[in-house]
Amino acid sequence: MEHPPNVVEYQSFRSYLKQYADFKRSGNPRWSYGVWARKLGLSNTAALTRILNGERSATEGFLRALISDLKLENKASESMVYLYLKEKNTP
């Protein structure tokens, strides 16, 4: 995968995050969930993995950090917020 996945093409918040992680890992073998978790303001890798696996809810602070880290703007940012709210409001 040469380019990061396009969030606008996804229907699931977590699915996008997993694809993005795969993209980062494929381009940089030294990339890790731990480094990404710290960049997103999480205390440890487990917190991020639990969010990715649906065992923990993502917070709005996490969403803001994610949008900033991924440098999402306009339509992509709106799509990320939509996916986040969609999963947050799904029982």
Side-chain angles (χ1 to χ4, degrees), residues 3-8 10 12-25 31 35-37 39-40 48 52 61-81 83-84:
H3 301 286
N6 183 352
V7 67
V8 175
Y10 284 79
S12 164
F13 179 71
R14 288 181 173 88
S15 181
Y16 172 79
L17 295 180
K18 289 177 183 179
Q19 285 296 114
Y20 182 81
D22 289 345
F23 162 75
K24 292 299 281 187
R25 198 174 316 115
W31 183 90
V35 171
W36 196 26
K39 285 177 71 177
L40 297 173
L48 178 58
L52 293 175
F62 173 83
L63 177 64
R64 283 190 298 275
L66 181 64
I67 289 171
S68 175
D69 180 59
L70 301 180
K71 297 173 179 52
L72 299 179
E73 296 178 348
N74 306 320
K75 182 77 171 162
S77 177
E78 291 171 14
S79 292
M80 181 62 76
V81 171
L83 293 177
Y84 166 79

Side-chain angles (χ1 to χ4, degrees), residues 5 9 51 56 70:
E9 298 172 358
I51 290 171
R56 176 179 172 173
L70 301 180

Side-chain angles (χ1 to χ4, degrees), residues 24-58:
K24 292 299 281 187
R25 198 174 316 115
S26 70
N28 179 1
R30 296 180 56 105
W31 183 90
S32 71
Y33 281 119
V35 171
W36 196 26
R38 284 187 296 280
K39 285 177 71 177
L40 297 173
L42 299 172
S43 57
N44 56 52
T45 306
L48 178 58
T49 353
R50 291 182 66 215
I51 290 171
L52 293 175
N53 293 331
E55 300 164 0
R56 176 179 172 173
S57 296

